[in-house]
C-alpha cells in the first residue's frame, strides 16, 4: 500500500486507551513499553522521536500522544493545512477553549517556542527530519526545535480547533511545582494573546489565557490558604 | 439603598476582625466603641487567635456598658481572613456594614461621616482616606499624599475601575458596604480567591455595578503599620530601585491583581445573566475593558517573573507568621 501518512504514537506513559482511527493510506506506529516499537517508559523524547521517525514510511508524519483521542479527520485536516499554507510543520489547538476556527493560519514565529503550542499536536514533513537534530534533556525539545527551525524555513501552520480529545496532562502533585508549571502556562498564553491581536487566533488565545490563569490562581490560592507566603530567593 | 434620611437613623454594624492582635486590640476597641454614631452594633470576630487576643476581647466585653451593642465571637478553628469575614457578615443585622481591622484606630466620627455620605448618595459602598500610623506617630494621609491627588468626595465608576487593576481609594481597611455586594453575586469560592484581601479589589467593583462606589475624602482612621501586617508579610516590599527588588514585590502584587480581575470577570458574567437585555451592552463593554486590564496586568506580572527567573531567583513558599491586614 502507498503510505501517505504515518501516525507516530508516543506510548511511553501507557498504551493507547482507545482504538486509533486510521484511513486508507495511513500507518500506525506505536512506541513504548510492550509496544511494536519497544522503548522503556523513561526513554527520552529524542529517543522516541528517532525510533518512530526511522520506522515511518509516509511523507507526512503526525504525532499522537497515547491516551489522546483524535478526530477521524485529524490527519487529513492537517495534511490539507500543510498543503494550503506550504509549511513543513502544522500544529493545532490542544483543547476546546471558546470559539474555534478550522481555517489554517501561519503562526507568528514568536509563538512557536511557547508551551501553548503543544508538540503533541504536530504534523511534519518527513523530508525536513534530516534538518532537525534530536535534542536531549528537554521533554519536548526535539519537536520544539524542529518547529523553531520551521519558522525560518516556510513557517508553522496552525489550526485553531482541537482535533483530538486530550487526555489529562498530569500536573505535578507537589503544590509548589504545580504553581511553577501553571505560571509558565499563563506566561505562554499571555505571549500568544500579545501576538495574536486579531481573529482567528485571538478568541482562542484569550480563552486559553483565562483558563490557564484560573488554574494557576487556584494553585496559588491553595498555597496561600494553606498558610504559605511567596518568597523569591536565591 | 440607604433608608430615608428623615426616618430613624439606620442600624450600622461595625465588623472588627481580629487575629493575633493582642498588642493592639484594646486600643482598637476603645476607639471603635467611642464612635459617636448610634444605633450601632460592634461585632468582634476573632479567627481563633493563638495569643491573648481573645482573652482581652472577653475582658473588654464584660466591662463594656456603653451605648452600642457589643457582640463577640471566637471561631472554633482558624478560618482564614475570608472565612472569618464571611462569618461576621452573615451575623450582621445592620443596613450598612463598616469594616474595621483589629489593629487600626478609627476616629470617633468615622461611622457618622460614612453614614452621612451613604444617605446622601445612595452608594453601595463608601471608602475613605487613612492616616498612616506607626510607633504611636500619625503620619501622612495615604490617598492625599499621592502625586495626582484630586481633593473632594467623588464617585468612582465601574468604567474607571475596569480600566485599572487597583486604585488607591480601594483600601480594605476603610470600606463600608451594603450587604448587596455579597448577596447580589455568587458566593465566594475560597479555591479561587485567597486569604490576602481579595475584597479590596472585588467588593468596590461590585458596589460600582450596583448602587455606586463613593470615596469620602477625609482621613477617618489611623492605619497601623507594623511588621506582622499580612500586607507586609505577603508583599516583598521593595526598598531599593534595583530591578530585582522591584520585581519581587510586583510579581506578588500583580498575582493578587490577576486573582481579583478573574473574580471581577466572573462577577460581570454573573451580573449579565441577572439583568435585563437593555443593560447588557454596558456590562459587555465593562467585560471587554476588564479583559484588556487582565491582559495588561498579566503582561506586567509575566515581565516581573521573567526578571526574577533571570536573576536567577526561585519562588519559595515558607510558612506565614500570621498577622492582620
Amino acid at each position: 500500500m502507498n503510505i501517505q501518512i504515518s501516525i507516530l504514537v508516543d506510548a511511553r506513559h501507557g498504551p493507547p486507551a482507545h482504538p486509533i482511527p486510521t484511513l486508507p493510506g495511513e500507518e500506525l506506529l506505536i512506541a513504548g513499553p510492550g509496544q511494536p516499537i519497544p522503548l522503556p517508559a523513561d526513554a527520552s523524547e529524542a529517543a522516541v522521536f528517532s525510533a518512530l521517525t526511522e520506522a515511518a514510511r509516509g511523507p507526512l508524519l503526525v504525532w499522537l500522544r497515547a491516551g489522546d483521542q483524535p478526530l477521524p479527520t485529524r490527519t487529513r485536516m492537517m495534511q490539507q493545512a500543510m498543503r494550503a499554507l506550504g509549511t513543513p510543520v502544522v500544529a493545532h489547538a490542544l483543547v476546546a477553549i471558546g470559539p474555534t476556527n478550522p481555517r489554517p493560519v501561519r503562526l507568528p514565529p514568536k509563538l512557536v517556542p511557547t508551551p501553548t503550542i503543544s508538540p503533541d499536536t504536530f504534523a511534519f514533513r518527513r523530508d525536513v527530519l534530516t534538518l532537525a537534530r534530536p535534542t536531549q534533556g528537554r521533554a519536548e525539545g526535539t519537536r520544539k526545535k524542529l518547529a523553531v527551525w520551521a519558522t525560518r524555513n516556510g513557517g508553522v501552520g496552525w489550526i485553531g480547533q482541537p482535533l483530538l480529545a486530550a487526555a489529562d496532562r498530569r500536573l505535578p502533585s507537589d503544590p509548589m511545582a504545580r504553581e511553577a508549571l501553571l505560571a509558565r502556562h499563563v506566561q505562554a498564553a499571555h505571549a500568544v494573546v500579545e501576538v495574536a491581536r486579531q481573529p482567528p487566533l485571538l478568541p482562542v488565545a484569550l480563552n486559553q489565557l483565562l483558563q490557564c490563569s484560573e488554574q494557576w490562581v487556584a494553585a496559588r490560592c491553595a498555597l496561600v490558604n494553606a498558610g504559605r507566603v511567596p518568597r523569591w530567593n536565591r | 439603598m440607604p433608608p430615608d434620611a428623615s426616618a430613624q437613623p439606620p442600624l450600622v454594624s461595625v465588623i472588627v476582625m481580629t487575629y493575633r492582635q493582642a498588642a493592639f486590640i484594646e486600643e482598637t476597641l476603645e476607639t471603635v466603641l467611642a464612635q459617636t454614631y448610634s444605633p450601632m452594633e460592634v461585632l468582634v470576630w476573632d479567627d481563633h487567635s493563638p495569643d491573648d487576643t481573645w482573652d482581652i476581647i472577653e475582658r473588654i466585653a464584660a466591662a463594656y456598658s456603653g451605648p452600642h451593642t457589643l457582640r463577640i465571637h471566637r471561631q472554633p478553628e482558624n478560618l482564614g481572613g475570608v472565612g472569618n469575614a464571611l462569618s461576621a457578615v452573615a451575623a450582621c443585622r445592620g443596613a450598612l456594614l463598616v469594616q474595621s481591622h483589629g489593629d487600626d484606630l478609627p476616629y470617633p466620627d468615622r461611622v457618622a461621616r460614612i453614614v452621612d455620605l451613604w444617605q446622601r448618595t445612595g452608594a453601595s459602598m463608601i471608602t475613605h482616606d487613612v492616616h498612616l500610623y506607626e510607633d504611636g506617630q500619625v503620619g501622612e494621609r495615604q490617598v492625599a499624599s499621592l502625586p495626582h491627588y484630586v481633593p473632594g468626595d467623588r464617585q468612582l465608576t465601574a468604567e474607571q475601575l475596569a480600566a485599572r487593576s487597583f486604585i488607591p481609594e480601594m483600601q480594605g481597611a476603610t470600606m463600608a458596604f451594603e450587604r448587596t455586594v455579597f448577596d447580589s453575586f455568587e458566593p465566594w469560592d475560597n479555591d479561587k480567591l485567597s486569604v490576602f484581601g481579595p475584597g479590596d479589589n472585588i467588593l468596590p467593583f461590585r458596589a460600582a455595578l450596583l448602587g455606586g462606589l463613593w470615596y469620602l475624602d477625609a482621613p477617618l482612621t489611623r492605619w497601623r503599620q507594623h511588621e506582622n501586617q499580612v500586607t507586609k508579610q505577603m508583599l516583598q516590599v521593595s526598598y531599593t530601585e534595583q530591578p530585582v527588588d522591584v520585581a519581587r514585590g510586583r510579581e506578588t502584587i500583580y498575582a493578587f491583581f490577576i486573582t481579583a480581575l478573574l473574580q471581577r470577570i466572573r462577577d460581570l458574567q454573573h451580573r449579565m445573566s441577572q439583568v435585563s437585555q437593555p443593560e447588557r451592552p454596558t456590562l459587555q463593554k465593562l467585560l471587554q475593558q476588564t479583559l484588556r486590564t487582565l491582559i495588561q496586568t498579566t503582561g506586567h506580572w509575566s515581565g516581573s517573573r521573567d526578571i526574577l527567573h533571570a536573576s536567577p531567583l526561585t519562588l519559595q513558599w515558607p510558612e506565614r507568621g500570621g498577622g492582620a491586614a
Side-chain angles (χ1 to χ4, degrees):
Chain A
M1 194 200 314
N2 182 20
I3 300 297
Q4 292 298 312
I5 297 175
S6 299
I7 301 173
L8 314 181
V9 183
D10 175 5
R12 283 173 293 171
H13 50 281
H18 314 279
I20 298 169
T22 54
L23 298 170
E26 294 182 354
E27 67 171 350
L28 199 58
L29 302 165
I30 306 177
Q35 298 300 327
I37 301 174
L39 279 176
D42 61 356
S44 68
E45 188 248 10
V48 76
F49 182 89
S50 296
L52 285 168
T53 53
E54 282 167 17
R57 291 178 291 167
L60 173 62
L61 313 179
V62 179
W63 195 271
L64 181 69
R65 179 185 159 108
D68 290 350
Q69 182 63 19
L71 294 179
T73 54
R74 178 181 182 239
T75 50
R76 295 304 151 118
M77 286 180 74
M78 299 190 84
Q79 186 181 42
Q80 286 164 10
M82 196 173 277
R83 284 180 182 154
L85 298 170
T87 59
V89 176
V90 167
H92 63 78
L94 187 60
V95 287
I97 36 176
T100 58
N101 192 327
R103 186 172 66 83
V105 295
R106 207 174 283 262
L107 273 178
K110 190 178 170 184
L111 297 190
V112 173
T114 68
T116 304
I117 310 301
S118 169
D120 291 338
T121 69
F122 279 3
F124 36 90
R125 285 202 326 248
R126 191 166 178 227
D127 62 293
V128 303
L129 290 180
T130 52
L131 302 165
R133 291 183 189 160
T135 303
Q136 302 288 347
R138 289 183 60 191
E140 300 172 337
T142 303
R143 287 169 291 159
K144 276 284 185 183
K145 200 165 182 181
L146 178 64
V148 170
W149 169 86
T151 61
R152 299 186 297 272
N153 295 276
V156 175
W158 167 257
I159 302 169
Q161 177 182 338
L163 302 181
L164 51 77
D168 283 344
R169 265 54 177 169
R170 239 181 236 165
L171 290 170
S173 55
D174 173 60
M176 296 171 214
R178 177 186 293 253
E179 191 275 346
L181 179 67
L182 291 171
R184 284 203 294 277
H185 289 181
V186 176
Q187 288 188 282
H190 177 262
V192 175
V193 170
E194 283 296 303
V195 178
R197 282 288 182 188
Q198 56 190 4
L201 269 175
L202 184 58
V204 176
L206 196 47
N207 277 285
Q208 182 142 17
L209 176 64
L210 284 171
Q211 189 183 59
C212 292
S213 300
E214 291 277 13
Q215 288 181 337
W216 166 68
V217 160
R220 193 151 175 135
C221 286
L223 282 161
V224 174
N225 289 340
R228 305 275 181 168
V229 289
R231 287 283 179 270
W232 287 90
N233 292 317
R234 283 182 203 284
Chain B
M1 287 289 290
D4 181 357
S6 62
Q8 287 290 317
L11 176 68
V12 171
S13 300
V14 176
I15 301 169
V16 183
M17 287 174 295
T18 62
Y19 185 65
R20 289 186 172 180
Q21 282 153 332
F24 312 121
I25 189 61
E26 186 157 6
E27 194 179 7
T28 291
L29 288 183
E30 270 178 29
T31 58
V32 170
L33 293 169
Q35 290 295 306
T36 57
Y37 182 82
S38 184
M40 191 177 99
E41 64 171 2
V42 178
L43 290 85
V44 186
W45 250 231
D46 182 66
D47 197 15
H48 203 81
S49 293
D51 62 3
D52 294 335
T53 305
W54 178 247
D55 294 338
I56 297 167
I57 293 167
E58 277 194 311
R59 176 169 53 77
I60 292 169
Y64 180 68
S65 59
H68 309 305
T69 303
L70 178 57
R71 301 165 60 192
I72 65 172
H73 173 72
R74 187 183 197 213
Q75 301 294 357
E77 60 184 28
N78 183 261
L79 300 180
V82 173
N84 193 34
L86 292 177
S87 163
V89 167
C92 286
R93 294 185 288 231
L96 184 70
L97 283 57
V98 180
Q99 190 160 287
S100 197
H101 289 168
D103 49 357
D104 294 340
L105 303 172
Y107 292 115
D109 60 348
R110 179 184 178 220
V111 174
R113 293 189 65 177
I114 287 172
V115 170
D116 175 60
L117 185 61
W118 174 53
Q119 292 193 311
R120 283 191 285 117
T121 61
S124 295
M125 175 178 277
I126 306 287
T127 68
H128 57 76
D129 204 355
V130 297
H131 273 137
L132 300 179
Y133 185 71
E134 191 159 13
D135 297 330
Q137 301 295 314
V138 175
E140 61 187 357
R141 284 177 60 177
Q142 191 188 37
V143 175
S145 62
L146 295 172
H148 304 294
Y149 165 67
V150 178
D153 299 347
R154 56 186 170 275
Q155 183 171 13
L156 303 164
T157 66
E159 288 75 13
Q160 285 175 294
L161 268 61
R164 305 274 295 275
S165 302
F166 173 77
I167 57 174
E169 290 89 343
M170 300 190 307
Q171 155 69 274
T174 75
M175 289 176 183
F177 48 86
E178 294 180 338
R179 190 185 296 277
T180 50
V181 297
F182 285 101
D183 294 348
S184 300
F185 296 87
E186 289 190 315
W188 289 58
D189 183 347
N190 271 355
D191 292 340
K192 294 175 179 172
L193 299 167
S194 71
V195 293
F196 174 53
D200 294 15
N201 282 28
I202 296 164
L203 295 183
F205 189 66
R206 288 180 170 189
L209 294 175
L210 297 170
L213 166 66
W214 273 77
Y215 167 73
L216 196 164
D217 187 33
L220 300 184
T221 198
R222 284 156 286 176
W223 187 35
R224 195 190 293 271
Q225 309 295 295
H226 58 95
E227 285 310 308
N228 282 336
Q229 280 178 289
V230 171
T231 316
K232 281 195 176 170
Q233 291 210 356
M234 293 302 296
L235 304 180
Q236 296 189 75
V237 180
S238 168
Y239 295 105
T240 78
E241 292 301 316
Q242 293 297 313
V244 171
D245 289 333
V246 173
R248 269 195 177 113
R250 285 188 176 171
E251 194 277 338
T252 309
I253 200 158
Y254 284 131
F256 163 62
F257 289 161
I258 291 169
T259 305
L261 284 165
L262 290 171
Q263 182 61 41
R264 287 191 196 176
I265 288 168
R266 285 191 290 271
D267 286 345
L268 276 166
Q269 288 168 334
H270 176 74
R271 194 82 190 133
M272 284 170 76
S273 71
Q274 303 290 307
V275 300
S276 60
Q277 187 66 36
E279 293 180 66
R280 286 184 195 152
T282 304
L283 294 174
Q284 186 64 39
K285 277 185 188 170
L286 287 171
L287 181 61
Q288 293 303 320
Q289 179 57 61
T290 306
L291 285 169
R292 284 194 289 275
T293 305
L294 176 71
I295 293 168
Q296 187 182 46
T297 306
T298 307
H300 294 325
W301 165 81
S302 184
S304 301
R305 198 134 174 150
D306 284 342
I307 290 170
L308 294 163
H309 279 307
S311 298
L313 301 181
T314 56
L315 183 54
Q316 295 156 12
W317 291 89
E319 295 271 358
R320 176 157 47 95

